[in-house]
């Protein structure tokens, strides 16, 4: 009798752990920007540059937005950085939610 209770308790505990694990939010998956879309920055910070791999002119932070206008060049994409930057520039592609 005691072992049957233990088995049921263990099964209930494992079911609870599995349910809690499945309910946890998964980490955000970063993706390339879509031209014509205002994308949300997934990275903790994303440098806005004057040209691909060029001089730094500001930083976008997670949750801020960037209007992807294109073109793409060398892993970077051109567009408009909203927020405190409010200017056009290049950001490394692949860091949008």
């Amino acid at each position: 009798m005691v072992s049957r209770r233990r088995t049921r308790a263990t099964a209930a505990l494992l079911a609870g752990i599995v349910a809690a694990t499945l309910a946890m939010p998964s980490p955000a998956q970063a993706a390339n920007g879509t031209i014509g879309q205002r994308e949300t920055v997934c990275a903790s910070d994303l440098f806005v540059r004057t040209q691909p791999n060029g001089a730094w002119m500001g930083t976008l932070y997670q949750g801020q937005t960037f209007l992807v206008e294109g073109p793409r060049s060398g892993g970077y994409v051109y567009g408009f950085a909203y927020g405190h930057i409010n200017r056009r520039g290049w950001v490394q592609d692949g860091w949008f939610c």
Side-chain angles (χ1 to χ4, degrees):
M1 185 94 165
V2 171
S3 98
R4 185 179 278 168
R5 282 187 195 159
R6 239 184 230 153
T7 303
R8 285 183 187 165
T10 302
L13 178 62
L14 288 175
I17 291 171
V18 168
T21 302
L22 293 175
M24 292 173 129
S26 61
Q29 298 296 317
N32 286 332
T34 302
I35 293 177
Q37 295 283 48
R38 186 170 173 176
E39 301 279 6
T40 301
V41 174
C42 247
S44 58
D45 53 31
L46 184 60
F47 295 153
V48 181
R49 299 182 177 275
T50 57
Q51 60 188 16
N53 211 23
W56 171 89
M57 60 188 228
T59 304
L60 286 169
Y61 296 97
Q62 188 173 28
Q64 292 184 319
T65 58
F66 183 82
L67 175 60
V68 181
E69 296 175 337
R72 298 181 196 282
S73 178
Y76 285 79
V77 65
Y78 183 79
F80 188 86
Y82 285 88
H84 64 280
I85 298 173
N86 271 336
R87 60 193 329 185
R88 285 182 168 75
W90 294 83
V91 296
Q92 192 174 30
D93 204 3
W95 296 105
F96 303 108
C97 298

